[in-house]
Amino acid sequence: MVAGGVTVPAVRARKVAAGADPLVMVTAYDAPGARMVDDAGIDLILVGDSLSMVVLGYDDTLQVTVADLAHHTAAVARSAPRALVVADMPWLSYHTSAADTVANAGTLVRAGAAAVKIEGGRVRLPMVEALVAAEVPVMGHLGLTPQSFHVMGGFKVQGRKAEAADRLVDDALALVESGVFAIVVEGVPAELGARVTEAVPVPTIGIGAGPRCDGQVLVFHDLLGLDDRPAPRFVRRYASLKQEGTRAVAAFAADVRSGAFPSPEESYGGGAEP
Ligand code: KIV
């Protein structure tokens, strides 16, 4: 979806310091989820590799493939959202060569993504440059990068020490120089989120990076409480749909067992009614 929808240049221009409204990004992985978040008027839909954990039941994001992300990106894109659709490039899809990176991004763009997101700093610059040269808009992702789970020794807040914080700001500037149009900043102290935001001319979209980013992103299932397991500190649950869903299914089960469902109105007669 492009006509009338949110575009990459429009997102790139959204700096709060320049008077813009904060960007709102939410993940979605299928058509009904995409319709729900798009109807809420958000700016960007991220088909995140969080797919691995929140939909497919794995313990980390390393398990999903380009084919998985393409499958779910296509489902989101079929809902023709107004929001800009960004697809995550999964682990190992942009690590081996620039040619593989561009080919894998092409699969996601052909599935319906308008842009891709990749994790990491300076080490990814050749891949960012190759994607930009191939006309694929790129969103960066710095800080707590879940695909580096093993290297980080778990899902840990990053950039607490001065040297690490300086490195992260340098990485952000280098990503901008290579052509990213926005940067997700995840799991860093709020002061560092603000510092990166001030340092770069493209919008930052925070998740666990404090309030002074140019926007915020949350995972669909976290925001809606579709899971009631303990969530990270940065998650705010705006609904408890796991509880509500379980209650509804239990009510259906009780009605079936008591004979209250289906009613005559919910059953077909022999006549011509639809
Ligand atoms: O995969 C994802 O959902 C993400 C967000 C947490 C930014 O990368």
Side-chain angles (χ1 to χ4, degrees):
M1 164 101 183
V2 176
V6 179
T7 63
V8 168
V11 170
R12 194 189 186 288
R14 292 276 291 273
K15 284 300 280 184
V16 169
D21 286 337
L23 287 164
V24 183
M25 181 159 86
V26 179
T27 66
Y29 315 94
D30 58 19
R35 269 184 228 112
M36 194 188 295
V37 299
D38 200 52
D39 287 356
I42 61 146
D43 302 298
L44 302 110
I45 295 177
L46 173 66
V47 188
D49 61 353
S50 48
L51 167 73
S52 183
M53 298 171 79
V54 300
V55 175
L56 301 180
Y58 293 110
D59 289 335
D60 56 51
T61 59
L62 306 180
Q63 312 304 327
V64 281
T65 63
V66 174
D68 294 328
L69 262 301
H71 181 75
H72 288 266
T73 299
V76 165
R78 268 180 229 119
S79 74
R82 186 189 153 277
L84 189 78
V85 177
V86 180
D88 248 335
M89 294 198 70
W91 179 59
L92 286 191
S93 71
Y94 58 97
H95 302 67
T96 51
S97 72
D100 281 354
T101 303
V102 172
N104 288 327
T107 301
L108 297 174
V109 171
R110 289 205 168 121
V116 298
K117 175 167 80 58
I118 71 177
E119 297 183 3
R122 282 184 178 279
V123 69
R124 306 287 171 236
L125 300 187
M127 307 316 187
V128 174
E129 280 157 20
L131 289 168
V132 171
E135 316 299 347
V136 180
V138 185
M139 179 179 281
H141 186 159
L142 292 172
L144 194 175
T145 46
Q147 290 173 15
S148 321
F149 170 77
H150 290 303
V151 176
M152 293 183 305
F155 297 108
K156 293 186 175 157
V157 174
Q158 302 294 301
R160 284 202 200 271
K161 297 215 169 101
E163 198 186 311
D166 290 349
R167 208 167 38 242
L168 198 141
V169 175
D170 280 354
D171 278 348
L173 289 167
L175 285 176
V176 171
E177 186 69 21
S178 295
V180 300
F181 73 96
I183 304 176
V184 167
V185 183
E186 177 167 359
V188 301
E191 273 311 312
L192 181 54
R195 210 179 128 196
V196 178
T197 303
E198 275 164 31
V200 296
V202 301
T204 56
I205 304 178
I207 176 161
R212 284 189 283 151
C213 295
D214 296 300
Q216 299 289 332
V217 52
L218 277 181
V219 167
F220 183 83
H221 292 61
D222 290 343
L223 188 165
L224 293 176
L226 273 161
D227 202 323
D228 55 8
R229 289 176 293 186
R233 173 193 180 99
F234 57 75
V235 169
R236 186 181 295 180
R237 287 194 166 132
Y238 288 84
S240 302
L241 295 195
K242 160 85 189 320
Q243 255 175 294
E244 178 63 6
T246 303
R247 189 205 56 72
V249 175
F252 170 61
D255 283 352
V256 171
R257 288 175 185 139
S258 70
F261 180 87
S263 65
E265 294 74 31
E266 290 157 334
S267 306
Y268 294 109
E273 78 275 49

